[in-house]
PDB file of all heavy atoms in Angstrom:
ATOM      1  N   ASN A  28     -17.900  20.609 -26.805  1.00  0.00           N
ATOM      2  CA  ASN A  28     -16.715  20.026 -26.181  1.00  0.00           C
ATOM      3  C   ASN A  28     -17.057  18.990 -25.116  1.00  0.00           C
ATOM      4  O   ASN A  28     -16.173  18.474 -24.439  1.00  0.00           O
ATOM      5  CB  ASN A  28     -15.836  21.122 -25.575  1.00  0.00           C
ATOM      6  CG  ASN A  28     -16.557  21.899 -24.476  1.00  0.00           C
ATOM      7  OD1 ASN A  28     -17.776  21.767 -24.326  1.00  0.00           O
ATOM      8  ND2 ASN A  28     -15.824  22.691 -23.712  1.00  0.00           N
ATOM      9  N   ASP A  29     -18.340  18.681 -24.957  1.00  0.00           N
ATOM     10  CA  ASP A  29     -18.772  17.675 -23.992  1.00  0.00           C
ATOM     11  C   ASP A  29     -18.777  16.305 -24.685  1.00  0.00           C
ATOM     12  O   ASP A  29     -19.772  15.897 -25.276  1.00  0.00           O
ATOM     13  CB  ASP A  29     -20.164  18.025 -23.451  1.00  0.00           C
ATOM     14  CG  ASP A  29     -20.574  17.148 -22.278  1.00  0.00           C
ATOM     15  OD1 ASP A  29     -20.004  16.057 -22.131  1.00  0.00           O
ATOM     16  OD2 ASP A  29     -21.470  17.551 -21.516  1.00  0.00           O
ATOM     17  N   SER A  30     -17.646  15.606 -24.610  1.00  0.00           N
ATOM     18  CA  SER A  30     -17.509  14.324 -25.299  1.00  0.00           C
ATOM     19  C   SER A  30     -18.523  13.303 -24.804  1.00  0.00           C
ATOM     20  O   SER A  30     -19.047  12.488 -25.585  1.00  0.00           O
ATOM     21  CB  SER A  30     -16.087  13.768 -25.108  1.00  0.00           C
ATOM     22  OG  SER A  30     -15.136  14.614 -25.694  1.00  0.00           O
ATOM     23  N   GLN A  31     -18.818  13.342 -23.526  1.00  0.00           N
ATOM     24  CA  GLN A  31     -19.750  12.387 -22.935  1.00  0.00           C
ATOM     25  C   GLN A  31     -21.146  12.570 -23.519  1.00  0.00           C
ATOM     26  O   GLN A  31     -21.832  11.596 -23.872  1.00  0.00           O
ATOM     27  CB  GLN A  31     -19.776  12.591 -21.421  1.00  0.00           C
ATOM     28  CG  GLN A  31     -20.239  11.393 -20.633  1.00  0.00           C
ATOM     29  CD  GLN A  31     -20.065  11.637 -19.144  1.00  0.00           C
ATOM     30  OE1 GLN A  31     -20.583  12.625 -18.598  1.00  0.00           O
ATOM     31  NE2 GLN A  31     -19.341  10.767 -18.478  1.00  0.00           N
ATOM     32  N   ALA A  32     -21.566  13.824 -23.640  1.00  0.00           N
ATOM     33  CA  ALA A  32     -22.904  14.114 -24.148  1.00  0.00           C
ATOM     34  C   ALA A  32     -23.011  13.788 -25.637  1.00  0.00           C
ATOM     35  O   ALA A  32     -24.017  13.225 -26.085  1.00  0.00           O
ATOM     36  CB  ALA A  32     -23.263  15.571 -23.895  1.00  0.00           C
ATOM     37  N   ILE A  33     -21.983  14.123 -26.428  1.00  0.00           N
ATOM     38  CA  ILE A  33     -22.040  13.853 -27.860  1.00  0.00           C
ATOM     39  C   ILE A  33     -22.039  12.351 -28.110  1.00  0.00           C
ATOM     40  O   ILE A  33     -22.750  11.840 -28.983  1.00  0.00           O
ATOM     41  CB  ILE A  33     -20.878  14.538 -28.614  1.00  0.00           C
ATOM     42  CG1 ILE A  33     -21.084  14.450 -30.132  1.00  0.00           C
ATOM     43  CG2 ILE A  33     -19.542  13.947 -28.257  1.00  0.00           C
ATOM     44  CD1 ILE A  33     -22.152  15.333 -30.666  1.00  0.00           C
ATOM     45  N   ARG A  34     -21.270  11.610 -27.321  1.00  0.00           N
ATOM     46  CA  ARG A  34     -21.243  10.159 -27.490  1.00  0.00           C
ATOM     47  C   ARG A  34     -22.606   9.556 -27.141  1.00  0.00           C
ATOM     48  O   ARG A  34     -23.088   8.658 -27.823  1.00  0.00           O
ATOM     49  CB  ARG A  34     -20.153   9.537 -26.612  1.00  0.00           C
ATOM     50  CG  ARG A  34     -20.040   8.025 -26.777  1.00  0.00           C
ATOM     51  CD  ARG A  34     -18.871   7.469 -25.974  1.00  0.00           C
ATOM     52  NE  ARG A  34     -18.802   6.016 -26.135  1.00  0.00           N
ATOM     53  CZ  ARG A  34     -19.460   5.158 -25.382  1.00  0.00           C
ATOM     54  NH1 ARG A  34     -20.245   5.599 -24.421  1.00  0.00           N
ATOM     55  NH2 ARG A  34     -19.342   3.859 -25.590  1.00  0.00           N
ATOM     56  N   ALA A  35     -23.234  10.061 -26.088  1.00  0.00           N
ATOM     57  CA  ALA A  35     -24.544   9.556 -25.695  1.00  0.00           C
ATOM     58  C   ALA A  35     -25.583   9.830 -26.779  1.00  0.00           C
ATOM     59  O   ALA A  35     -26.448   8.990 -27.056  1.00  0.00           O
ATOM     60  CB  ALA A  35     -24.976  10.188 -24.374  1.00  0.00           C
ATOM     61  N   LEU A  36     -25.504  10.998 -27.426  1.00  0.00           N
ATOM     62  CA  LEU A  36     -26.446  11.312 -28.496  1.00  0.00           C
ATOM     63  C   LEU A  36     -26.180  10.435 -29.721  1.00  0.00           C
ATOM     64  O   LEU A  36     -27.118  10.038 -30.420  1.00  0.00           O
ATOM     65  CB  LEU A  36     -26.351  12.795 -28.866  1.00  0.00           C
ATOM     66  CG  LEU A  36     -27.403  13.315 -29.854  1.00  0.00           C
ATOM     67  CD1 LEU A  36     -28.813  13.027 -29.353  1.00  0.00           C
ATOM     68  CD2 LEU A  36     -27.221  14.805 -30.105  1.00  0.00           C
ATOM     69  N   VAL A  37     -24.916  10.119 -29.964  1.00  0.00           N
ATOM     70  CA  VAL A  37     -24.583   9.196 -31.047  1.00  0.00           C
ATOM     71  C   VAL A  37     -25.188   7.819 -30.774  1.00  0.00           C
ATOM     72  O   VAL A  37     -25.737   7.172 -31.668  1.00  0.00           O
ATOM     73  CB  VAL A  37     -23.055   9.088 -31.233  1.00  0.00           C
ATOM     74  CG1 VAL A  37     -22.695   7.883 -32.103  1.00  0.00           C
ATOM     75  CG2 VAL A  37     -22.509  10.354 -31.862  1.00  0.00           C
ATOM     76  N   LEU A  38     -25.094   7.352 -29.533  1.00  0.00           N
ATOM     77  CA  LEU A  38     -25.686   6.070 -29.164  1.00  0.00           C
ATOM     78  C   LEU A  38     -27.189   6.088 -29.427  1.00  0.00           C
ATOM     79  O   LEU A  38     -27.757   5.131 -29.970  1.00  0.00           O
ATOM     80  CB  LEU A  38     -25.431   5.765 -27.689  1.00  0.00           C
ATOM     81  CG  LEU A  38     -23.980   5.564 -27.240  1.00  0.00           C
ATOM     82  CD1 LEU A  38     -23.928   5.185 -25.766  1.00  0.00           C
ATOM     83  CD2 LEU A  38     -23.290   4.508 -28.071  1.00  0.00           C
ATOM     84  N   GLU A  39     -27.839   7.182 -29.036  1.00  0.00           N
ATOM     85  CA  GLU A  39     -29.278   7.300 -29.246  1.00  0.00           C
ATOM     86  C   GLU A  39     -29.613   7.275 -30.736  1.00  0.00           C
ATOM     87  O   GLU A  39     -30.555   6.607 -31.175  1.00  0.00           O
ATOM     88  CB  GLU A  39     -29.795   8.583 -28.606  1.00  0.00           C
ATOM     89  CG  GLU A  39     -31.300   8.731 -28.622  1.00  0.00           C
ATOM     90  CD  GLU A  39     -31.791   9.915 -27.809  1.00  0.00           C
ATOM     91  OE1 GLU A  39     -30.958  10.715 -27.356  1.00  0.00           O
ATOM     92  OE2 GLU A  39     -33.016  10.027 -27.644  1.00  0.00           O
ATOM     93  N   LEU A  40     -28.817   8.000 -31.536  1.00  0.00           N
ATOM     94  CA  LEU A  40     -29.031   8.041 -32.985  1.00  0.00           C
ATOM     95  C   LEU A  40     -28.917   6.646 -33.591  1.00  0.00           C
ATOM     96  O   LEU A  40     -29.770   6.213 -34.380  1.00  0.00           O
ATOM     97  CB  LEU A  40     -28.016   8.985 -33.626  1.00  0.00           C
ATOM     98  CG  LEU A  40     -27.923   8.948 -35.158  1.00  0.00           C
ATOM     99  CD1 LEU A  40     -29.251   9.364 -35.786  1.00  0.00           C
ATOM    100  CD2 LEU A  40     -26.785   9.834 -35.643  1.00  0.00           C
ATOM    101  N   LYS A  41     -27.870   5.922 -33.225  1.00  0.00           N
ATOM    102  CA  LYS A  41     -27.653   4.607 -33.836  1.00  0.00           C
ATOM    103  C   LYS A  41     -28.717   3.602 -33.395  1.00  0.00           C
ATOM    104  O   LYS A  41     -29.153   2.756 -34.190  1.00  0.00           O
ATOM    105  CB  LYS A  41     -26.250   4.108 -33.506  1.00  0.00           C
ATOM    106  CG  LYS A  41     -25.162   4.902 -34.235  1.00  0.00           C
ATOM    107  CD  LYS A  41     -23.855   4.156 -34.299  1.00  0.00           C
ATOM    108  CE  LYS A  41     -22.874   4.856 -35.216  1.00  0.00           C
ATOM    109  NZ  LYS A  41     -21.618   4.104 -35.378  1.00  0.00           N
ATOM    110  N   ILE A  42     -29.146   3.696 -32.153  1.00  0.00           N
ATOM    111  CA  ILE A  42     -30.228   2.812 -31.702  1.00  0.00           C
ATOM    112  C   ILE A  42     -31.491   3.097 -32.506  1.00  0.00           C
ATOM    113  O   ILE A  42     -32.173   2.176 -32.971  1.00  0.00           O
ATOM    114  CB  ILE A  42     -30.480   2.984 -30.198  1.00  0.00           C
ATOM    115  CG1 ILE A  42     -29.334   2.372 -29.384  1.00  0.00           C
ATOM    116  CG2 ILE A  42     -31.807   2.341 -29.792  1.00  0.00           C
ATOM    117  CD1 ILE A  42     -29.417   2.637 -27.899  1.00  0.00           C
ATOM    118  N   MET A  43     -31.813   4.381 -32.700  1.00  0.00           N
ATOM    119  CA  MET A  43     -33.029   4.732 -33.423  1.00  0.00           C
ATOM    120  C   MET A  43     -32.957   4.308 -34.892  1.00  0.00           C
ATOM    121  O   MET A  43     -33.965   3.903 -35.485  1.00  0.00           O
ATOM    122  CB  MET A  43     -33.292   6.237 -33.318  1.00  0.00           C
ATOM    123  CG  MET A  43     -33.596   6.697 -31.906  1.00  0.00           C
ATOM    124  SD  MET A  43     -34.043   8.439 -31.811  1.00  0.00           S
ATOM    125  CE  MET A  43     -35.739   8.369 -32.371  1.00  0.00           C
ATOM    126  N   ILE A  44     -31.779   4.384 -35.498  1.00  0.00           N
ATOM    127  CA  ILE A  44     -31.612   3.967 -36.892  1.00  0.00           C
ATOM    128  C   ILE A  44     -31.972   2.497 -37.059  1.00  0.00           C
ATOM    129  O   ILE A  44     -32.667   2.105 -38.001  1.00  0.00           O
ATOM    130  CB  ILE A  44     -30.161   4.220 -37.355  1.00  0.00           C
ATOM    131  CG1 ILE A  44     -29.950   5.713 -37.628  1.00  0.00           C
ATOM    132  CG2 ILE A  44     -29.832   3.403 -38.609  1.00  0.00           C
ATOM    133  CD1 ILE A  44     -28.508   6.083 -37.945  1.00  0.00           C
ATOM    134  N   HIS A  45     -31.493   1.671 -36.133  1.00  0.00           N
ATOM    135  CA  HIS A  45     -31.669   0.222 -36.262  1.00  0.00           C
ATOM    136  C   HIS A  45     -32.916  -0.288 -35.546  1.00  0.00           C
ATOM    137  O   HIS A  45     -33.236  -1.470 -35.636  1.00  0.00           O
ATOM    138  CB  HIS A  45     -30.422  -0.489 -35.741  1.00  0.00           C
ATOM    139  CG  HIS A  45     -29.201  -0.188 -36.553  1.00  0.00           C
ATOM    140  ND1 HIS A  45     -28.880  -0.887 -37.694  1.00  0.00           N
ATOM    141  CD2 HIS A  45     -28.239   0.760 -36.408  1.00  0.00           C
ATOM    142  CE1 HIS A  45     -27.764  -0.390 -38.212  1.00  0.00           C
ATOM    143  NE2 HIS A  45     -27.351   0.608 -37.446  1.00  0.00           N
ATOM    144  N   LEU A  46     -33.611   0.605 -34.859  1.00  0.00           N
ATOM    145  CA  LEU A  46     -34.799   0.218 -34.106  1.00  0.00           C
ATOM    146  C   LEU A  46     -35.981  -0.104 -34.999  1.00  0.00           C
ATOM    147  O   LEU A  46     -36.754  -1.032 -34.739  1.00  0.00           O
ATOM    148  CB  LEU A  46     -35.180   1.345 -33.137  1.00  0.00           C
ATOM    149  CG  LEU A  46     -36.470   1.201 -32.352  1.00  0.00           C
ATOM    150  CD1 LEU A  46     -36.363   0.034 -31.374  1.00  0.00           C
ATOM    151  CD2 LEU A  46     -36.784   2.493 -31.595  1.00  0.00           C
ATOM    152  N   GLY A  47     -36.150   0.653 -36.081  1.00  0.00           N
ATOM    153  CA  GLY A  47     -37.355   0.542 -36.893  1.00  0.00           C
ATOM    154  C   GLY A  47     -38.385   1.564 -36.440  1.00  0.00           C
ATOM    155  O   GLY A  47     -38.132   2.394 -35.565  1.00  0.00           O
ATOM    156  N   GLN A  48     -39.572   1.508 -37.036  1.00  0.00           N
ATOM    157  CA  GLN A  48     -40.612   2.512 -36.819  1.00  0.00           C
ATOM    158  C   GLN A  48     -41.781   1.932 -36.037  1.00  0.00           C
ATOM    159  O   GLN A  48     -42.127   0.759 -36.194  1.00  0.00           O
ATOM    160  CB  GLN A  48     -41.112   3.021 -38.177  1.00  0.00           C
ATOM    161  CG  GLN A  48     -40.031   3.541 -39.091  1.00  0.00           C
ATOM    162  CD  GLN A  48     -39.657   4.976 -38.814  1.00  0.00           C
ATOM    163  OE1 GLN A  48     -40.518   5.843 -38.697  1.00  0.00           O
ATOM    164  NE2 GLN A  48     -38.374   5.254 -38.724  1.00  0.00           N
ATOM    165  N   HIS A  49     -42.391   2.776 -35.213  1.00  0.00           N
ATOM    166  CA  HIS A  49     -43.589   2.353 -34.472  1.00  0.00           C
ATOM    167  C   HIS A  49     -44.409   3.584 -34.111  1.00  0.00           C
ATOM    168  O   HIS A  49     -43.870   4.661 -33.849  1.00  0.00           O
ATOM    169  CB  HIS A  49     -43.205   1.599 -33.199  1.00  0.00           C
ATOM    170  CG  HIS A  49     -44.353   0.860 -32.567  1.00  0.00           C
ATOM    171  ND1 HIS A  49     -45.246   1.471 -31.703  1.00  0.00           N
ATOM    172  CD2 HIS A  49     -44.779  -0.434 -32.686  1.00  0.00           C
ATOM    173  CE1 HIS A  49     -46.149   0.592 -31.305  1.00  0.00           C
ATOM    174  NE2 HIS A  49     -45.894  -0.565 -31.886  1.00  0.00           N
ATOM    175  N   LEU A  50     -45.723   3.413 -34.084  1.00  0.00           N
ATOM    176  CA  LEU A  50     -46.634   4.507 -33.762  1.00  0.00           C
ATOM    177  C   LEU A  50     -46.317   5.146 -32.424  1.00  0.00           C
ATOM    178  O   LEU A  50     -46.388   6.372 -32.280  1.00  0.00           O
ATOM    179  CB  LEU A  50     -48.081   3.979 -33.753  1.00  0.00           C
ATOM    180  CG  LEU A  50     -49.169   4.951 -33.292  1.00  0.00           C
ATOM    181  CD1 LEU A  50     -49.368   6.064 -34.322  1.00  0.00           C
ATOM    182  CD2 LEU A  50     -50.480   4.211 -33.051  1.00  0.00           C
ATOM    183  N   ASN A  51     -45.974   4.335 -31.424  1.00  0.00           N
ATOM    184  CA  ASN A  51     -45.846   4.830 -30.055  1.00  0.00           C
ATOM    185  C   ASN A  51     -44.409   5.105 -29.627  1.00  0.00           C
ATOM    186  O   ASN A  51     -44.083   5.089 -28.445  1.00  0.00           O
ATOM    187  CB  ASN A  51     -46.507   3.849 -29.088  1.00  0.00           C
ATOM    188  CG  ASN A  51     -47.982   3.675 -29.370  1.00  0.00           C
ATOM    189  OD1 ASN A  51     -48.441   2.566 -29.588  1.00  0.00           O
ATOM    190  ND2 ASN A  51     -48.733   4.768 -29.397  1.00  0.00           N
ATOM    191  N   VAL A  52     -43.563   5.348 -30.620  1.00  0.00           N
ATOM    192  CA  VAL A  52     -42.176   5.738 -30.372  1.00  0.00           C
ATOM    193  C   VAL A  52     -41.906   6.992 -31.199  1.00  0.00           C
ATOM    194  O   VAL A  52     -42.381   7.104 -32.335  1.00  0.00           O
ATOM    195  CB  VAL A  52     -41.210   4.607 -30.774  1.00  0.00           C
ATOM    196  CG1 VAL A  52     -39.773   5.088 -30.800  1.00  0.00           C
ATOM    197  CG2 VAL A  52     -41.343   3.421 -29.825  1.00  0.00           C
ATOM    198  N   VAL A  53     -41.159   7.950 -30.653  1.00  0.00           N
ATOM    199  CA  VAL A  53     -40.757   9.105 -31.444  1.00  0.00           C
ATOM    200  C   VAL A  53     -39.748   8.613 -32.479  1.00  0.00           C
ATOM    201  O   VAL A  53     -38.657   8.149 -32.132  1.00  0.00           O
ATOM    202  CB  VAL A  53     -40.137  10.204 -30.558  1.00  0.00           C
ATOM    203  CG1 VAL A  53     -39.584  11.332 -31.432  1.00  0.00           C
ATOM    204  CG2 VAL A  53     -41.177  10.761 -29.603  1.00  0.00           C
ATOM    205  N   ASN A  54     -40.106   8.705 -33.744  1.00  0.00           N
ATOM    206  CA  ASN A  54     -39.307   8.095 -34.802  1.00  0.00           C
ATOM    207  C   ASN A  54     -38.272   9.047 -35.383  1.00  0.00           C
ATOM    208  O   ASN A  54     -38.473  10.262 -35.434  1.00  0.00           O
ATOM    209  CB  ASN A  54     -40.235   7.594 -35.917  1.00  0.00           C
ATOM    210  CG  ASN A  54     -41.117   6.453 -35.450  1.00  0.00           C
ATOM    211  OD1 ASN A  54     -40.646   5.351 -35.228  1.00  0.00           O
ATOM    212  ND2 ASN A  54     -42.409   6.727 -35.282  1.00  0.00           N
ATOM    213  N   LEU A  55     -37.177   8.454 -35.824  1.00  0.00           N
ATOM    214  CA  LEU A  55     -36.090   9.207 -36.445  1.00  0.00           C
ATOM    215  C   LEU A  55     -36.460   9.552 -37.880  1.00  0.00           C
ATOM    216  O   LEU A  55     -36.916   8.690 -38.635  1.00  0.00           O
ATOM    217  CB  LEU A  55     -34.807   8.366 -36.417  1.00  0.00           C
ATOM    218  CG  LEU A  55     -33.573   8.979 -37.069  1.00  0.00           C
ATOM    219  CD1 LEU A  55     -33.075  10.160 -36.249  1.00  0.00           C
ATOM    220  CD2 LEU A  55     -32.476   7.925 -37.213  1.00  0.00           C
ATOM    221  N   LEU A  56     -36.242  10.817 -38.267  1.00  0.00           N
ATOM    222  CA  LEU A  56     -36.490  11.249 -39.639  1.00  0.00           C
ATOM    223  C   LEU A  56     -35.195  11.483 -40.404  1.00  0.00           C
ATOM    224  O   LEU A  56     -35.152  11.312 -41.621  1.00  0.00           O
ATOM    225  CB  LEU A  56     -37.334  12.534 -39.648  1.00  0.00           C
ATOM    226  CG  LEU A  56     -38.719  12.438 -39.013  1.00  0.00           C
ATOM    227  CD1 LEU A  56     -39.418  13.792 -39.064  1.00  0.00           C
ATOM    228  CD2 LEU A  56     -39.566  11.376 -39.684  1.00  0.00           C
ATOM    229  N   GLY A  57     -34.147  11.889 -39.705  1.00  0.00           N
ATOM    230  CA  GLY A  57     -32.881  12.165 -40.373  1.00  0.00           C
ATOM    231  C   GLY A  57     -31.832  12.618 -39.374  1.00  0.00           C
ATOM    232  O   GLY A  57     -32.084  12.703 -38.166  1.00  0.00           O
ATOM    233  N   ALA A  58     -30.649  12.918 -39.908  1.00  0.00           N
ATOM    234  CA  ALA A  58     -29.551  13.383 -39.047  1.00  0.00           C
ATOM    235  C   ALA A  58     -28.584  14.206 -39.880  1.00  0.00           C
ATOM    236  O   ALA A  58     -28.467  14.021 -41.094  1.00  0.00           O
ATOM    237  CB  ALA A  58     -28.828  12.195 -38.417  1.00  0.00           C
ATOM    238  N   VAL A  59     -27.902  15.123 -39.223  1.00  0.00           N
ATOM    239  CA  VAL A  59     -26.843  15.913 -39.849  1.00  0.00           C
ATOM    240  C   VAL A  59     -25.542  15.538 -39.157  1.00  0.00           C
ATOM    241  O   VAL A  59     -25.337  15.851 -37.980  1.00  0.00           O
ATOM    242  CB  VAL A  59     -27.112  17.425 -39.720  1.00  0.00           C
ATOM    243  CG1 VAL A  59     -25.985  18.221 -40.380  1.00  0.00           C
ATOM    244  CG2 VAL A  59     -28.456  17.794 -40.340  1.00  0.00           C
ATOM    245  N   THR A  60     -24.671  14.849 -39.894  1.00  0.00           N
ATOM    246  CA  THR A  60     -23.434  14.329 -39.282  1.00  0.00           C
ATOM    247  C   THR A  60     -22.183  14.772 -40.028  1.00  0.00           C
ATOM    248  O   THR A  60     -21.087  14.306 -39.722  1.00  0.00           O
ATOM    249  CB  THR A  60     -23.463  12.793 -39.248  1.00  0.00           C
ATOM    250  OG1 THR A  60     -23.336  12.282 -40.579  1.00  0.00           O
ATOM    251  CG2 THR A  60     -24.758  12.279 -38.628  1.00  0.00           C
ATOM    252  N   THR A  61     -22.318  15.657 -41.017  1.00  0.00           N
ATOM    253  CA  THR A  61     -21.172  16.017 -41.861  1.00  0.00           C
ATOM    254  C   THR A  61     -20.026  16.617 -41.063  1.00  0.00           C
ATOM    255  O   THR A  61     -18.870  16.511 -41.458  1.00  0.00           O
ATOM    256  CB  THR A  61     -21.608  17.004 -42.967  1.00  0.00           C
ATOM    257  OG1 THR A  61     -22.353  18.071 -42.368  1.00  0.00           O
ATOM    258  CG2 THR A  61     -22.467  16.301 -43.996  1.00  0.00           C
ATOM    259  N   ASN A  62     -20.346  17.255 -39.938  1.00  0.00           N
ATOM    260  CA  ASN A  62     -19.300  17.849 -39.092  1.00  0.00           C
ATOM    261  C   ASN A  62     -19.150  17.105 -37.774  1.00  0.00           C
ATOM    262  O   ASN A  62     -18.840  17.697 -36.748  1.00  0.00           O
ATOM    263  CB  ASN A  62     -19.603  19.331 -38.820  1.00  0.00           C
ATOM    264  CG  ASN A  62     -19.372  20.189 -40.047  1.00  0.00           C
ATOM    265  OD1 ASN A  62     -18.446  19.958 -40.811  1.00  0.00           O
ATOM    266  ND2 ASN A  62     -20.231  21.178 -40.245  1.00  0.00           N
ATOM    267  N   ILE A  63     -19.382  15.791 -37.821  1.00  0.00           N
ATOM    268  CA  ILE A  63     -19.292  14.998 -36.597  1.00  0.00           C
ATOM    269  C   ILE A  63     -17.891  15.067 -36.010  1.00  0.00           C
ATOM    270  O   ILE A  63     -17.712  14.997 -34.787  1.00  0.00           O
ATOM    271  CB  ILE A  63     -19.703  13.530 -36.872  1.00  0.00           C
ATOM    272  CG1 ILE A  63     -19.837  12.750 -35.567  1.00  0.00           C
ATOM    273  CG2 ILE A  63     -18.737  12.853 -37.809  1.00  0.00           C
ATOM    274  CD1 ILE A  63     -21.021  13.125 -34.734  1.00  0.00           C
ATOM    275  N   ALA A  64     -16.853  15.219 -36.866  1.00  0.00           N
ATOM    276  CA  ALA A  64     -15.484  15.325 -36.367  1.00  0.00           C
ATOM    277  C   ALA A  64     -15.293  16.572 -35.518  1.00  0.00           C
ATOM    278  O   ALA A  64     -14.421  16.618 -34.653  1.00  0.00           O
ATOM    279  CB  ALA A  64     -14.492  15.310 -37.526  1.00  0.00           C
ATOM    280  N   LYS A  65     -16.118  17.586 -35.793  1.00  0.00           N
ATOM    281  CA  LYS A  65     -16.075  18.813 -34.981  1.00  0.00           C
ATOM    282  C   LYS A  65     -17.124  18.769 -33.877  1.00  0.00           C
ATOM    283  O   LYS A  65     -17.452  19.781 -33.284  1.00  0.00           O
ATOM    284  CB  LYS A  65     -16.318  20.025 -35.880  1.00  0.00           C
ATOM    285  CG  LYS A  65     -15.246  20.215 -36.939  1.00  0.00           C
ATOM    286  CD  LYS A  65     -15.557  21.430 -37.816  1.00  0.00           C
ATOM    287  CE  LYS A  65     -14.500  21.597 -38.899  1.00  0.00           C
ATOM    288  NZ  LYS A  65     -14.796  22.763 -39.787  1.00  0.00           N
ATOM    289  N   ARG A  66     -17.643  17.547 -33.656  1.00  0.00           N
ATOM    290  CA  ARG A  66     -18.616  17.285 -32.585  1.00  0.00           C
ATOM    291  C   ARG A  66     -19.925  18.048 -32.798  1.00  0.00           C
ATOM    292  O   ARG A  66     -20.587  18.466 -31.849  1.00  0.00           O
ATOM    293  CB  ARG A  66     -18.022  17.599 -31.218  1.00  0.00           C
ATOM    294  CG  ARG A  66     -16.719  16.856 -30.964  1.00  0.00           C
ATOM    295  CD  ARG A  66     -16.232  17.038 -29.558  1.00  0.00           C
ATOM    296  NE  ARG A  66     -14.901  16.448 -29.415  1.00  0.00           N
ATOM    297  CZ  ARG A  66     -14.295  16.292 -28.249  1.00  0.00           C
ATOM    298  NH1 ARG A  66     -14.894  16.673 -27.141  1.00  0.00           N
ATOM    299  NH2 ARG A  66     -13.094  15.763 -28.188  1.00  0.00           N
ATOM    300  N   GLU A  67     -20.268  18.239 -34.050  1.00  0.00           N
ATOM    301  CA  GLU A  67     -21.561  18.832 -34.384  1.00  0.00           C
ATOM    302  C   GLU A  67     -22.473  17.724 -34.878  1.00  0.00           C
ATOM    303  O   GLU A  67     -22.182  17.072 -35.878  1.00  0.00           O
ATOM    304  CB  GLU A  67     -21.411  19.910 -35.453  1.00  0.00           C
ATOM    305  CG  GLU A  67     -22.743  20.558 -35.827  1.00  0.00           C
ATOM    306  CD  GLU A  67     -22.585  21.656 -36.862  1.00  0.00           C
ATOM    307  OE1 GLU A  67     -22.022  22.706 -36.518  1.00  0.00           O
ATOM    308  OE2 GLU A  67     -23.006  21.436 -38.016  1.00  0.00           O
ATOM    309  N   LEU A  68     -23.567  17.499 -34.178  1.00  0.00           N
ATOM    310  CA  LEU A  68     -24.507  16.428 -34.523  1.00  0.00           C
ATOM    311  C   LEU A  68     -25.927  16.924 -34.314  1.00  0.00           C
ATOM    312  O   LEU A  68     -26.244  17.509 -33.273  1.00  0.00           O
ATOM    313  CB  LEU A  68     -24.246  15.191 -33.656  1.00  0.00           C
ATOM    314  CG  LEU A  68     -25.248  14.045 -33.778  1.00  0.00           C
ATOM    315  CD1 LEU A  68     -25.249  13.474 -35.185  1.00  0.00           C
ATOM    316  CD2 LEU A  68     -24.940  12.951 -32.755  1.00  0.00           C
ATOM    317  N   MET A  69     -26.781  16.686 -35.296  1.00  0.00           N
ATOM    318  CA  MET A  69     -28.193  17.031 -35.193  1.00  0.00           C
ATOM    319  C   MET A  69     -29.016  15.783 -35.460  1.00  0.00           C
ATOM    320  O   MET A  69     -28.836  15.129 -36.487  1.00  0.00           O
ATOM    321  CB  MET A  69     -28.574  18.129 -36.195  1.00  0.00           C
ATOM    322  CG  MET A  69     -27.822  19.425 -36.003  1.00  0.00           C
ATOM    323  SD  MET A  69     -28.299  20.666 -37.224  1.00  0.00           S
ATOM    324  CE  MET A  69     -27.117  21.972 -36.844  1.00  0.00           C
TER     325      MET A  69
END
């Protein structure tokens, strides 16, 4: 129910998606967004 925190994690997810890959960055492997409407995001 923390809208601020879920939105911030969404921002992080979208930045990582469009960032690309690099050795010295923790890279994105995937995400679970099927229940994003219920504010469930992994």
Side-chain angles (χ1 to χ4, degrees):
N28 62 348
D29 190 339
S30 297
Q31 203 173 56
I33 190 73
R34 182 175 179 273
L36 187 55
V37 166
L38 296 184
E39 187 172 8
L40 169 62
K41 289 200 171 184
I42 288 173
M43 295 185 78
I44 284 174
H45 296 275
L46 174 66
Q48 306 276 311
H49 194 276
L50 174 70
N51 299 124
V52 168
V53 174
N54 294 289
L55 178 69
L56 299 179
V59 180
T60 70
T61 49
N62 287 323
I63 189 71
K65 297 179 181 179
R66 305 187 187 190
E67 180 178 290
L68 173 63
M69 299 179 186

